[in-house]
Amino acid sequence: MENPEVIVSSCSSHDDEYSYKGQPSICQELLLEDQLRRKLKFFFMNPCEKFWARGRKPWKLGIQLLKIAMVTIQLVFFGLSNQMVVAFKEENTVAFKHLFLKGYTDRMDDTYAVYTQVDVYDQIFFAINRHIEMIQCFSCCEKGEYLKLRSISVGNHAYEKKGAEETAMAICQYFYKRGTVCPGNDTFDIDPEIETECFYVEPMQPLDNGTLKRSAFNFTLDFHRLVTVQLTFKLKAINLQTVRHHELPDCYDFTLTIVFDNKAHSGRIKISLDNDIAIKECKEWHVSGSVQKNTHYMMIFDAFVILTCSASLVLCTRSVIKGIRLQREFVSFSLHHYNKEVSFSDQMEFVNGWYIMIIVSDVLTIIGSTLKMEIQAKSLTSYDVCSILLGTSTMLVWLGVIRYLGFFQKYNLLILTLRAALPNVIRFCCCAAMIYLGYCFCGWIVLGPYHVKFRSLNMVSECLFSLINGDDMFATFEKMQQKSYLVWLFSRIYLYSFISLFIYMVLSLFIALITDTYETVKHYQQEGFPETELHAFIAQCKDLPNSGRYRLEEESPITLFCCCKRA
C-alpha cells in the first residue's frame, strides 16, 4: 500500500506553476481522480465495510431493525382493535336484517326478494311496525318495562334523538315521471326522468292492536313506474367489548337503508339492507380501572414510532441526496477527463431504490401512526385509510430488510434474479396480457348470458385467472348452461384452448424465463459479473476498507492541495 505522503511529495515545482494560473496540475488531477475512486468505492460499500473504513456506525441498519419491531407491534395492536370494530359492524348488520326484514335467514342476501305486490307492502309495513315498536319499547324502558324491550332486541341499541324526540323514519319511492306499459300490445310510453316522493313515520305513531295499518297512510306504489323504494332511519349503539382489551368504547351511529330494487322490472324485487356506520367519541363516559392509562401508553408508543421513522426518513433522504451529488460529480469528471458520457445504467447505480422504498415506507408509517393516534383520541374514525397506510408501510419495511441481506452472497440470489429478470418479465407479461384481454372480452360477450362466472368483465378476469392456477376447473365447465348448443360448443373450444394455451405454453415459458435468469445469475456468481465502466473505474482503487486511506477523504480537498504545494 502506498503512503499518501509519497504521492504528495511527487508534485514537481513545474506542475505547481499551472495551479497558480487557475489550471489544475497533473498532481492535482491524479489526486482528484484517486480521491473520486475512493469516494465511489466507499459509497458502494456495505455497512460493515464502511465501519472498518471510517469507523462509521451503521445507524440506518440499526434504525431499520428497531423500526421492524416497533411497526410490527404497532400493526398487531391496531389489527386486533380493527378486528373488533369490523366484527361489531358485521354482527350488528346481521342483527338488523333479522329485526327489520320479514322472514330473513342467514346467507340469503343474494336470493332475498319478493314477487307479489302484497309481499312488497307486507315487507314495507313490517319494517315500519318494527321501527315504531322498538321506539315505543325504548320509551317504556325509561318506565322500567324491560321485559317488553328485551323481547324485541338483545342489543344495546337506541334511536337517534333530536332534542327530546326520536328521529322519524323516511320512506321514499323513486319512479319514472310518466309511464304507460302495455306488454300485450307491445307498446309503452316512458319518461325516464326520475321523480321522488317521500313521507315520514313519526316515532310515536299510534298503533292499532300493536300494528300500523296501510290505511293510516296515503301510500300506494305504481309498480309499472316504480324504480326503487327506500326506508331510511338511524340507530345508535356502544361497542362495549373493547373494554376487555383495555380500550375506550366507541359510540356508533348506524344509518340503515332498506332498499326495494325494481330497476329491472322483471317481476322480482330484490330487498337489501345497507348499513352506513359512523364512529365517534362518546359524550359522557366513566370506566373503572386503567383503561385510559393504557390508551395513553399506546399513544406514547405511537409517538416513538413516528420519531423512529422520522430519523430513518432523514438518514435515507440524506443518503439519496449524497448519491445524486456523487452521480453528478462522476458524470462531470468523465466528461472533463475522458470526454465520455456515462451510460444511463451506470447513472442509475447511484440511485438506491431500496432507500426510496424505505422513504415511502417511513412517510406512510408517519401518516398512518398519526391517524391511529387520532383514532385512539376519538377525533377520527378512518379505520380503512389507517389500515391501508399501516399495512402497506409494514410490508415495505419488511421488504427493505432484503437490502441488507443482499450484501451477503449466499442471500442475495433472489434479489439479483428478480432485478435481472424484471425487464424481460415485464415485456413477456405485456404480450401475454394482450392474449388474456382478448379471451376476457370474448368470454364476457359470448358466455356472459349463459354462465354466472362470465356476467361482468371483472368476474371473467377472476375466473380465467383461477383457471390459470388450476382452480375450479370442473365447476366452470359444469355450470355452463346448455340452452344453446352452438354457444355450449363454443364454450368448450374457448375453455380448452385458453387452458391449454396459458397453462402449457404461457405459464411454462414464464417459468423458463425466470429459471434461465436464475442460472445466468448463478453462473455469474461463480465466474464473476460483467464489469460496467463504472465498476471498472472503481476497481482501479485497491485500498482495503481497513487500510486507513478512507479516513483521509474526510479532510477537505483544499487541505490536500495546500500540502501538495508546500511539499
Side-chain angles (χ1 to χ4, degrees):
M1 184 186 305
E2 294 182 350
N3 192 331
E5 295 180 358
V6 177
I7 299 177
V8 172
S9 62
S10 64
C11 304
S12 64
S13 60
H14 178 73
D15 293 333
D16 291 338
E17 296 177 1
Y18 292 97
S19 62
Y20 292 101
K21 298 178 182 179
Q23 296 179 354
S25 64
I26 297 176
C27 172
Q28 292 173 343
E29 289 184 357
L30 292 175
L31 282 173
L32 288 173
E33 184 173 348
D34 184 63
Q35 183 184 31
L36 180 60
R37 282 197 180 94
R38 200 172 289 114
K39 288 171 63 177
L40 291 173
K41 188 170 184 178
F42 179 80
F43 178 78
F44 289 104
M45 286 181 181
N46 61 48
C48 295
E49 292 174 339
K50 288 183 178 180
F51 176 74
W52 294 332
R54 292 185 182 176
R56 179 175 296 181
K57 307 296 188 300
W59 294 111
K60 287 194 292 292
L61 175 60
I63 288 178
Q64 295 309 313
L65 296 177
L66 176 64
K67 193 172 68 173
I68 285 178
M70 297 183 69
V71 170
T72 304
I73 293 173
Q74 180 193 47
L75 184 72
V76 169
F77 280 111
F78 180 76
L80 294 175
S81 176
N82 194 26
Q83 185 178 356
M84 289 188 291
V85 173
V86 173
F88 189 72
K89 291 179 182 179
E90 293 178 348
E91 291 177 3
N92 275 274
T93 302
V94 173
F96 295 147
K97 290 179 180 179
H98 282 275
L99 286 172
F100 296 101
L101 300 182
K102 184 178 180 180
Y104 178 84
T105 58
D106 291 335
R107 294 184 295 274
M108 65 178 302
D109 297 283
D110 295 334
T111 60
Y112 191 69
V114 290
Y115 302 90
T116 65
Q117 297 183 14
V118 175
D119 289 339
V120 174
Y121 285 113
D122 286 346
Q123 285 283 351
I124 293 174
F125 282 93
F126 176 84
I128 295 174
N129 285 321
R130 180 54 59 86
H131 175 264
I132 295 177
E133 287 175 5
M134 292 186 67
I135 289 182
Q136 295 186 0
C137 284
F138 281 120
S139 298
C140 294
C141 180
E142 298 175 359
K143 302 176 182 179
E145 299 180 16
Y146 294 98
L147 294 178
K148 191 173 181 182
L149 171 64
R150 296 302 181 187
S151 65
I152 295 180
S153 173
V154 297
N156 59 350
H157 303 111
Y159 285 91
E160 184 184 46
K161 286 188 176 183
K162 289 185 177 180
E165 296 183 354
E166 288 83 1
T167 56
M169 172 188 279
I171 295 100
C172 297
Q173 58 171 318
Y174 302 84
F175 50 87
Y176 295 121
K177 186 175 183 179
R178 186 186 70 254
T180 303
V181 181
C182 299
N185 299 331
D186 297 331
T187 60
F188 66 90
D189 181 14
I190 287 291
D191 184 350
E193 182 181 351
I194 301 296
E195 290 188 343
T196 304
E197 182 180 291
C198 296
F199 70 94
Y200 299 88
V201 178
E202 295 300 327
M204 303 308 295
Q205 184 79 24
L207 301 178
D208 184 10
N209 294 326
T211 60
L212 185 68
K213 301 297 182 182
R214 176 183 168 188
S215 57
F217 300 101
N218 184 18
F219 178 66
T220 57
L221 299 175
D222 185 357
F223 288 92
H224 294 294
R225 295 189 298 149
L226 180 66
V227 178
T228 57
V229 178
Q230 292 185 2
L231 283 66
T232 306
F233 56 99
K234 293 185 177 182
L235 287 175
K236 301 171 75 69
I238 300 176
N239 186 5
L240 295 178
Q241 65 175 331
T242 57
V243 176
R244 296 183 292 104
H245 299 273
H246 307 290
E247 293 184 20
L248 291 177
D250 294 319
C251 287
Y252 287 71
D253 289 345
F254 300 105
T255 302
L256 303 179
T257 304
I258 302 175
V259 181
F260 295 79
D261 187 1
N262 192 40
K263 295 185 181 70
H265 288 84
S266 59
R268 180 175 184 262
I269 296 181
K270 294 179 288 185
I271 304 176
S272 62
L273 186 146
D274 297 326
N275 188 8
D276 187 16
I277 301 171
I279 307 174
K280 62 181 182 181
E281 183 180 7
C282 297
K283 296 179 181 178
E284 297 182 6
W285 56 269
H286 175 72
V287 181
S288 301
S290 59
V291 174
Q292 187 176 6
K293 186 182 294 185
N294 289 333
T295 303
H296 290 164
Y297 288 155
M298 286 303 303
M299 295 183 70
I300 293 173
F301 179 77
D302 292 333
F304 275 115
V305 172
I306 293 176
L307 290 176
T308 304
C309 292
S310 300
S312 173
L313 177 64
V314 171
L315 292 176
C316 292
T317 303
R318 188 187 68 170
S319 297
V320 171
I321 294 174
K322 282 185 176 180
I324 294 175
R325 288 178 177 176
L326 193 57
Q327 177 201 66
R328 294 177 178 176
E329 183 178 351
F330 178 69
V331 170
S332 176
F333 178 85
S334 180
L335 285 174
H336 178 71
H337 291 271
Y338 298 106
N339 196 22
K340 182 188 298 183
E341 292 187 355
V342 181
S343 64
F344 178 77
S345 59
D346 282 346
Q347 292 187 39
M348 292 306 296
E349 290 284 339
F350 294 91
V351 182
N352 196 318
W354 295 107
Y355 286 152
I356 295 176
M357 187 179 69
I358 293 173
I359 290 172
V360 173
S361 171
D362 290 334
V363 173
L364 294 179
T365 304
I366 292 172
I367 299 175
S369 300
T370 305
L371 287 178
K372 183 175 179 290
M373 295 175 68
E374 293 292 331
I375 291 173
Q376 290 175 339
K378 311 306 177 186
S379 301
L380 292 176
T381 58
S382 305
Y383 278 90
D384 293 337
V385 177
C386 186
S387 60
I388 292 173
L389 292 174
L390 292 181
T392 306
S393 64
T394 305
M395 178 186 68
L396 295 179
V397 166
W398 280 94
L399 291 177
V401 182
I402 301 178
R403 184 243 175 185
Y404 297 97
L405 294 177
F407 291 124
F408 305 97
Q409 185 175 359
K410 294 182 179 180
Y411 292 94
N412 68 344
L413 188 59
L414 173 63
I415 305 170
L416 295 176
T417 303
L418 291 176
R419 186 170 65 179
L422 186 61
N424 292 329
V425 168
I426 293 176
R427 287 189 288 266
F428 182 85
C429 289
C430 289
C431 296
M434 301 300 105
I435 306 174
Y436 186 82
L437 290 174
Y439 270 90
C440 284
F441 286 112
C442 178
W444 174 49
I445 198 65
V446 178
L447 306 183
Y450 301 93
H451 202 299
V452 67
K453 293 186 178 182
F454 290 82
R455 294 292 165 81
S456 65
L457 276 175
N458 183 48
M459 295 177 67
V460 173
S461 179
E462 292 172 355
C463 177
L464 295 183
F465 190 79
S466 299
L467 290 177
I468 293 176
N469 292 277
D471 182 32
D472 213 18
M473 284 193 180
F474 178 76
T476 305
F477 281 94
E478 181 67 19
K479 291 181 180 180
M480 182 64 196
Q481 299 178 9
Q482 300 186 21
K483 294 181 179 179
S484 172
Y485 179 76
L486 180 62
V487 176
W488 179 87
L489 181 62
F490 178 85
S491 69
R492 265 43 193 173
I493 299 174
Y494 173 87
L495 292 174
Y496 279 121
S497 62
F498 176 82
I499 293 172
S500 302
L501 178 63
F502 272 84
I503 292 183
Y504 302 134
M505 295 181 64
V506 176
L507 194 58
S508 298
L509 288 173
F510 183 82
I511 296 174
L513 183 66
I514 302 295
T515 305
D516 182 64
T517 306
Y518 170 79
E519 295 295 337
T520 303
V521 171
K522 195 173 181 181
H523 173 74
Y524 284 157
Q525 281 190 327
Q526 297 173 353
E527 304 295 333
F529 287 88
E531 275 194 345
T532 62
E533 294 183 358
L534 172 63
H535 292 104
F537 179 80
I538 297 175
Q540 296 181 30
C541 179
K542 305 298 183 182
D543 297 331
L544 298 176
N546 56 357
S547 64
R549 299 291 299 274
Y550 295 93
R551 297 180 184 271
L552 298 175
E553 302 300 332
E554 295 178 336
E555 302 178 11
S556 63
I558 298 177
T559 306
L560 293 175
F561 296 156
C562 293
C563 292
C564 180
K565 292 174 185 178
R566 286 196 299 267

